[in-house]
Amino acid sequence: MKENNYLVALENLLMHHGWQGPLREGLEKLLQATADEMGYRRISLAIFDPKTQSIEFSLYIGFTKTPKYSYTPGQGIIGQVVKEQSPIIVPLMKDDPNFLNLAFDRTPEELASMSFISVPIKRHSQENETEILGVLNAEMDLRDLPELETNCRFLQVLGMFIARQTSFLQEEVSRQKELPQFTTAEINTARQSMSESQLISTSKVMNMIMNQVMQVAPSRATVLIRGESGTGKELLAEAIHRMSPRKDKPFIKLNCASLPGELLESELFGYERGAFTGAVGQKKGRFELAHLGTLFLDEIGELSAEAQAKLLRAIQAGEIQRLGGEKTTRVNVRIVCATHQPLENRIEEGAFREDLYYRINVFPIFIPPLRERREDILPLAEHFLQTFSREYEKNIKRISTPAIDLLIQYHWPGNVRELRNCMERAVLMCSEEVIRTYHLPPTLQTAESTATDTELPFVETVARFEQELIIDALKKARGNMLQAARDLKVSYRIINYKVKKYRINPKRYT
């Protein structure tokens, strides 16, 4: 890419993508747009915490694995960039001994086919001092040195633009590490409450969210839960209620997107007889039903302007007025809201009240999409397997290794809700004790194709089934081919032939 072309690309990125939505979401969109515009395979942002002297990946685009390692200044390429505060270009990953490959565990093939650029993200103070905030990294197919140098300058300029936002992420990382330490009993109680709400997780980010829930649940502070559709916002709201002093009181839910504006107000605040056509009697609204308990308002961004004004008044004054009524009723309600929309954009469009936003955004919690917390996929899948096996009275004991691989690799645009539906379908289709790849939906079968196993030629279907059986046997035998042959009741010669035919590596299962 020529020098003037990368300037045009940068101008295009900042003009058309700029900064959209909440902090983390906006930065993620910008990084994704950068990867698309510049032809990068992957792009990531690692944040430097000066208190702990650790460099941790905060955002990463194009990776299928969750980072499992943090660096220190001077360690590896990223650590050197932080220590020296200057960019580093790696023309070929496998040839640079300082490219440690600890965080994302790239394959030998990837290391032999990609270049890498890491640039520092710096902030300049009024005293003209430079503070290192983190590093911006890009991975791309092999390019010659002049083009890599041009891309490096591009990333440096982009880094200057995102420096201010990165400083907020740096503060967030530090704040998470300063969260209060809870006792083992408190943590176990919290995990039990999360489990009762069917919030199953093992990932680091969900543990941080659990910590946030433990902080806010005992209070009566208003909580705003954000995240994509299907991430479990309602379950998290229920967990907050279960861990609060109001746990024995009502937990009332209302989806603001499921009702038209005129009905939404009557559902929220109730109505008196004759308030409108069809109002033949009195009816309590959700606020009154939730008195002394918790009111969960899902998709809060869909409220009409009039309903927003009344909701703001109810939160501020602690009282509501039924439609068609003249008297006010005092209510003691804890509000938990949720949305998948960027409310900041709705405010700019004039569709959401700014004063209401600040009232409900007292304690925000963001649930990352499932593709960003892949450690949770298998525990969730096994939980749903047990749930639906009981429901449909089936004796399904486990998920096969190839099926697990498909579940882990899939990008889950529908998040946990899609995973739940996927496992229900698999249980319904399964007539044996193991969930296999051909029990999973067509969209999961391969990354490139959506053909189901039943649509494949007979020979290929049999071959896939053979591979699954052999892999399962090797896994059980810890890579011992002779034991795997005994378990499958075939000769060692046949197993050896099939392993070579399907290019299975037994050592992987040792």
Side-chain angles (χ1 to χ4, degrees):
M1 176 181 276
K2 295 181 179 179
E3 194 84 15
N4 60 337
N5 288 347
Y6 92 76
L7 290 172
V8 171
L10 180 62
E11 182 180 3
N12 179 56
L13 280 168
L14 300 184
M15 180 182 299
H16 296 288
H17 301 282
W19 201 260
Q20 303 172 7
L23 171 64
R24 187 176 290 270
E25 181 183 334
L27 185 52
E28 183 178 358
K29 288 180 179 177
L30 180 60
L31 293 182
Q32 181 65 68
T34 300
D36 295 341
E37 182 83 19
M38 302 299 292
Y40 298 152
R41 278 209 216 172
R42 299 164 182 154
I43 190 166
S44 61
L45 180 66
I47 303 300
F48 173 58
D49 184 357
K51 293 181 181 179
T52 61
Q53 291 291 295
S54 63
I55 310 163
E56 298 189 4
F57 287 90
S58 180
L59 291 170
Y60 35 95
I61 305 297
F63 293 91
T64 57
K65 301 174 182 176
T66 302
K68 56 183 181 181
Y69 194 87
S70 59
Y71 290 89
T72 56
Q75 183 187 24
I77 296 295
I78 289 175
Q80 289 181 18
V81 171
V82 169
K83 184 178 180 180
E84 304 296 334
Q85 297 193 19
S86 58
I88 293 179
I89 296 173
V90 179
L92 181 60
M93 290 181 181
K94 77 177 183 66
D95 288 349
D96 195 319
N98 291 317
F99 192 86
L100 303 181
N101 191 31
L102 298 174
F104 291 104
D105 192 25
R106 299 166 187 82
T107 65
E109 291 78 10
E110 290 173 326
L111 295 175
S113 63
M114 288 196 294
S115 301
F116 182 83
I117 301 173
S118 182
V119 302
I121 303 294
K122 297 183 285 189
R123 176 173 57 189
H124 299 280
S125 66
Q126 293 180 347
E127 293 77 18
N128 211 23
E129 296 180 352
T130 302
E131 178 188 2
I132 185 76
L133 303 173
V135 291
L136 179 63
N137 313 291
E139 301 179 20
M140 61 210 75
D141 294 325
L142 293 180
R143 302 184 185 185
D144 57 32
L145 189 57
E147 189 171 1
L148 289 173
E149 290 173 344
T150 299
N151 278 267
C152 183
R153 288 191 289 274
F154 164 83
L155 291 168
Q156 285 180 283
V157 177
L158 182 63
M160 293 169 58
F161 173 75
I162 65 176
R164 178 175 177 273
Q165 283 72 26
T166 306
S167 67
F168 286 111
L169 287 180
Q170 188 183 50
E171 292 171 6
E172 179 184 296
V173 169
S174 297
R175 186 175 65 251
Q176 290 296 345
K177 291 181 178 178
E178 293 173 354
L179 289 174
Q181 298 299 308
F182 296 98
T183 66
T184 302
E186 289 174 324
I187 292 174
N188 289 338
T189 300
R191 288 193 181 280
Q192 179 63 29
S193 296
M194 300 280 265
S195 178
E196 288 173 359
S197 299
Q198 298 194 37
L199 268 171
I200 310 299
S201 66
T202 59
S203 63
K204 180 179 177 181
V205 66
M206 289 304 291
N207 286 338
M208 290 166 60
I209 288 174
M210 185 181 76
N211 211 325
Q212 290 178 308
V213 169
M214 291 171 68
Q215 281 184 289
V216 75
S219 72
R220 61 168 297 167
T222 303
V223 179
L224 177 60
I225 305 172
R226 309 184 72 155
E228 294 181 6
S229 295
T231 49
K233 297 188 290 295
E234 182 178 328
L235 296 180
L236 190 64
E238 186 177 346
I240 291 172
H241 174 72
R242 286 178 180 271
M243 295 166 62
S244 75
R246 301 168 180 255
K247 62 184 178 181
D248 297 323
K249 301 299 180 182
F251 177 71
I252 304 298
K253 301 176 285 187
L254 178 64
N255 188 324
C256 301
S258 64
L259 296 170
E262 59 273 13
L263 291 180
L264 193 57
E265 289 184 53
S266 65
E267 283 294 324
L268 268 177
F269 308 109
Y271 55 80
E272 298 287 351
R273 181 178 180 180
F276 51 83
T277 304
V280 294
Q282 284 185 338
K283 180 182 177 181
K284 289 184 177 181
R286 303 296 173 96
F287 262 97
E288 289 182 80
L289 294 174
H291 182 57
L292 300 179
T294 303
L295 176 60
F296 174 58
L297 300 176
D298 199 5
E299 297 303 342
I300 187 73
E302 299 294 335
L303 281 177
S304 66
E306 190 172 352
Q308 288 178 39
K310 291 185 177 181
L311 175 60
L312 178 63
R313 186 164 59 249
I315 295 174
Q316 288 176 329
E319 57 185 28
I320 56 101
Q321 185 174 341
R322 293 179 185 171
L323 294 181
E326 296 181 354
K327 68 173 185 176
T328 58
T329 303
R330 296 288 299 176
V331 288
N332 179 354
V333 174
R334 201 266 181 85
I335 305 291
V336 179
C337 304
T339 182
H340 76 281
Q341 298 182 351
L343 293 182
E344 296 80 0
N345 290 357
R346 299 277 290 169
I347 292 171
E348 290 180 7
E349 296 165 0
F352 199 83
R353 295 178 62 114
E354 189 172 8
D355 48 2
L356 177 58
Y357 170 77
Y358 289 119
R359 279 286 179 178
I360 64 175
N361 197 39
V362 176
F363 196 100
I365 298 177
F366 175 74
I367 307 180
L370 192 56
R371 61 183 174 275
E372 291 183 10
R373 46 187 179 99
R374 294 185 182 273
E375 309 99 303
D376 293 335
I377 293 175
L378 184 54
L380 282 165
E382 290 176 336
H383 167 72
F384 293 137
L385 172 62
Q386 294 173 7
T387 299
F388 291 119
S389 293
R390 286 194 302 267
E391 181 176 341
Y392 296 116
E393 298 180 350
K394 291 196 172 186
N395 184 29
I396 305 176
K397 296 180 178 178
R398 62 187 180 89
I399 306 170
S400 72
T401 300
I404 290 173
D405 290 340
L406 287 185
L407 292 172
I408 299 296
Q409 292 166 12
Y410 186 57
H411 61 291
W412 299 109
N415 293 295
V416 180
R417 184 183 296 122
E418 183 182 8
L419 175 58
R420 184 182 189 277
N421 294 340
C422 166
M423 292 308 300
E424 182 174 12
R425 176 190 188 275
V427 169
L428 286 169
M429 291 190 65
C430 185
S431 56
E432 45 190 306
E433 293 186 347
V434 181
I435 296 291
R436 304 195 184 277
T437 55
Y438 45 80
H439 297 133
L440 299 176
T443 48
L444 272 70
Q445 295 303 321
T446 64
E448 299 81 20
S449 172
T450 58
T452 66
D453 283 350
T454 55
E455 293 171 340
L456 294 173
F458 175 75
V459 174
E460 190 171 344
T461 302
V462 172
R464 284 196 180 188
F465 185 62
E466 274 189 341
Q467 289 178 60
E468 286 197 31
L469 289 176
I470 293 169
I471 289 173
D472 283 346
L474 286 170
K475 185 177 180 182
K476 182 180 177 182
R478 298 183 180 275
N480 187 318
M481 290 174 57
L482 186 59
Q483 183 60 48
R486 291 194 192 107
D487 292 342
L488 291 174
K489 296 179 174 59
V490 296
S491 68
Y492 176 83
R493 185 181 62 82
I494 290 177
I495 286 293
N496 187 46
Y497 167 74
K498 296 289 186 182
V499 162
K500 290 179 179 178
K501 176 183 177 181
Y502 298 129
R503 298 180 180 179
I504 299 170
N505 181 9
K507 292 181 179 178
R508 180 181 175 187
Y509 309 102
T510 301

